[in-house]
Amino acid sequence: MTPRALTLPAVILLGVGVLAGCAGTGAVQSGAGNSDSRYVAGDNSSQIIKNRKPAPQVKGTTLDGKPFDLGAQSGKVTVVNFWASWCAPCRAEAPTMEQIYQQTKGSGVQFLGVDIKDGKDNAQAFLRTFKITYPSLYDQAGQVALAFRDIPPNAVPSTLIIDRQGKVAVRIIGSVPYSRLRDLVTKVAAEK
């Protein structure tokens, strides 16, 4: 074989290897024509808020076209998860969110997804792929996250837990493992 014949397959294999490496769990994918600079990784820390402040008034339209008003959830614990289809940690934690939602919804716990900086078709495909049954607001501009000024969700994903009085009780920056989220939701739900 000539050196050129050996080089072409090597170049093809190298190209395939590079592309495959981009699809790993640390990959950040673009959506809705935005640049990748919108992704901020969290440190997976959780904070229980001692001096709780009321959650902002959040209203919007869900990805399935229904109106949603966070204020109407009064008396329930509400887990608000900020996610995007292009976010690898969001994809990793999506089954956990749905599982805990199914386990806790009978005890007065509501989940709300907030899809930010994403394309609507990609977001709807995400919900179908991960079989997410709780509502998700479509918030391409990120206005819902900005409304949480007192306790901001500073990364994607981020999760806030709102207590039965409508106050932000917990903030989690980054992805959250099943046991940690389950413990935090259970703790807030047990409050009187």
Side-chain angles (χ1 to χ4, degrees):
M1 289 190 144
T2 66
R4 179 166 169 79
L6 291 174
T7 306
L8 184 57
V11 169
I12 291 172
L13 282 173
L14 179 63
V16 169
V18 167
L19 290 175
C22 290
T25 58
V28 176
Q29 297 177 354
S30 294
N34 294 318
S35 72
D36 289 342
S37 64
R38 65 208 157 124
Y39 178 76
V40 177
D43 59 5
N44 303 331
S45 64
S46 58
Q47 173 188 15
I48 298 173
I49 311 299
K50 293 185 193 287
N51 298 320
R52 299 178 185 175
K53 297 186 179 185
Q57 294 297 314
V58 172
K59 294 180 182 182
T61 303
T62 62
L63 281 161
D64 61 359
K66 296 178 184 169
F68 187 91
D69 181 357
L70 185 61
Q73 304 306 308
S74 181
K76 296 181 181 179
V77 171
T78 305
V79 178
V80 182
N81 178 249
F82 294 83
W83 63 274
S85 66
W86 45 261
C87 162
C90 300
R91 292 190 300 270
E93 78 174 5
T96 293
M97 292 289 165
E98 178 63 24
Q99 184 178 8
I100 294 175
Y101 167 65
Q102 290 299 330
Q103 293 171 350
T104 61
K105 67 182 180 178
S107 61
V109 176
Q110 173 65 44
F111 273 54
L112 172 66
V114 179
D115 173 47
I116 63 170
K117 299 183 180 184
D118 206 351
K120 192 177 268 189
D121 291 342
N122 292 340
Q124 290 168 331
F126 178 96
L127 296 179
R128 286 189 305 272
T129 298
F130 293 105
K131 299 176 176 69
I132 304 298
T133 60
Y134 54 84
S136 279
L137 291 176
Y138 180 64
D139 186 34
Q140 201 283 329
Q143 295 300 309
V144 174
L146 290 175
F148 284 89
R149 286 182 176 88
D150 292 327
I151 307 291
N154 292 337
V156 179
S158 283
T159 303
L160 303 174
I161 303 175
I162 300 170
D163 66 19
R164 295 182 194 280
Q165 288 72 47
K167 296 180 179 180
V168 180
V170 175
R171 174 175 63 176
I172 304 162
I173 302 298
S175 63
V176 59
Y178 172 86
S179 60
R180 183 69 178 144
L181 181 60
R182 175 74 183 187
D183 290 349
L184 291 167
V185 170
T186 301
K187 181 176 182 169
V188 175
E191 295 175 352
K192 298 294 177 193

